[in-house]
Amino acid sequence: MSTHAPNEARVIPLRPQTPPPGSDGATRAPQRPAGAPQTPAPREPLWRDLVGDVLRRERLAQERTLKDVAEAARISMPYLSELERGRKEGSSEVLAAAAQALGLGLADLLSLTQDELARYARSRVGRGRTSPTAQYDGLCLVA
């Protein structure tokens, strides 16, 4: 069983860290450059998380159960749950079936998901996390 958090990559250094010359070998915390932010910037959401959020929001807005939508989409209820929670990356066929079961087209699902990503990008620009001249145009970041 993995000990790292889901949706987070584990980083394995290519070279072992060696203590600087003249030190007693004790490891020190890395120095933070002057002007660096104190808190880490929020991570950009993964596409599968955004798709799952849209699927769940649409299902709940229609007051439908997982079982109902899974049966209509002809996918298993546990798999639909995993998609909604962002644990699985659905194929285009599965996403199209889930969208159709909710009365959406695949383009509708992807458009709603892109809107979520654009909303996230705008909120980052507002907090000064990205270049103010960069903006999303469809699915591409243009500057």
Side-chain angles (χ1 to χ4, degrees), residues 71-142:
E71 286 175 355
R74 299 180 59 110
I75 58 179
S76 74
M77 193 171 66
Y79 189 70
L80 179 59
S81 174
E82 298 251 308
L83 288 173
E84 285 188 356
R85 291 182 292 134
R87 304 286 182 165
K88 296 287 184 187
E89 189 101 36
S91 69
S92 58
E93 291 88 357
V94 168
L95 294 179
Q100 185 176 20
L102 292 166
L104 302 170
L106 181 59
D108 299 322
L109 175 63
L110 299 180
S111 177
L112 290 168
T113 305
Q114 190 275 331
D115 290 346
E116 290 296 313
L117 184 59
R119 188 174 300 117
Y120 171 82
R122 283 191 303 272
S123 72
R124 285 191 67 182
V125 169
R127 290 191 307 257
R129 298 281 188 206
T130 61
S131 166
T133 59
Q135 56 184 333
Y136 278 97
D137 178 21
L139 294 178
C140 300
L141 180 66
V142 292

Side-chain angles (χ1 to χ4, degrees), residues 2-126:
S2 176
T3 58
H4 67 279
N7 298 336
E8 264 187 48
R10 206 169 37 143
V11 178
I12 301 171
L14 296 176
R15 293 185 201 117
Q17 293 182 342
T18 58
S23 71
D24 60 359
T27 58
R28 297 185 330 202
Q31 295 290 325
R32 181 174 291 152
Q38 295 295 328
T39 57
R43 289 192 345 241
E44 190 166 49
L46 297 175
W47 183 253
R48 68 176 183 237
D49 292 327
L50 296 171
V51 169
D53 290 344
V54 169
L55 287 172
R56 176 170 281 153
R57 187 176 58 241
E58 290 297 316
R59 179 178 62 79
L60 293 175
Q62 295 176 19
E63 298 180 354
R64 295 175 67 188
T65 64
L66 268 172
K67 182 179 180 186
D68 175 43
V69 175
E71 286 175 355
R74 299 180 59 110
I75 58 179
S76 74
M77 193 171 66
Y79 189 70
L80 179 59
S81 174
E82 298 251 308
L83 288 173
E84 285 188 356
R85 291 182 292 134
R87 304 286 182 165
K88 296 287 184 187
E89 189 101 36
S91 69
S92 58
E93 291 88 357
V94 168
L95 294 179
Q100 185 176 20
L102 292 166
L104 302 170
L106 181 59
D108 299 322
L109 175 63
L110 299 180
S111 177
L112 290 168
T113 305
Q114 190 275 331
D115 290 346
E116 290 296 313
L117 184 59
R119 188 174 300 117
Y120 171 82
R122 283 191 303 272
S123 72
R124 285 191 67 182
V125 169

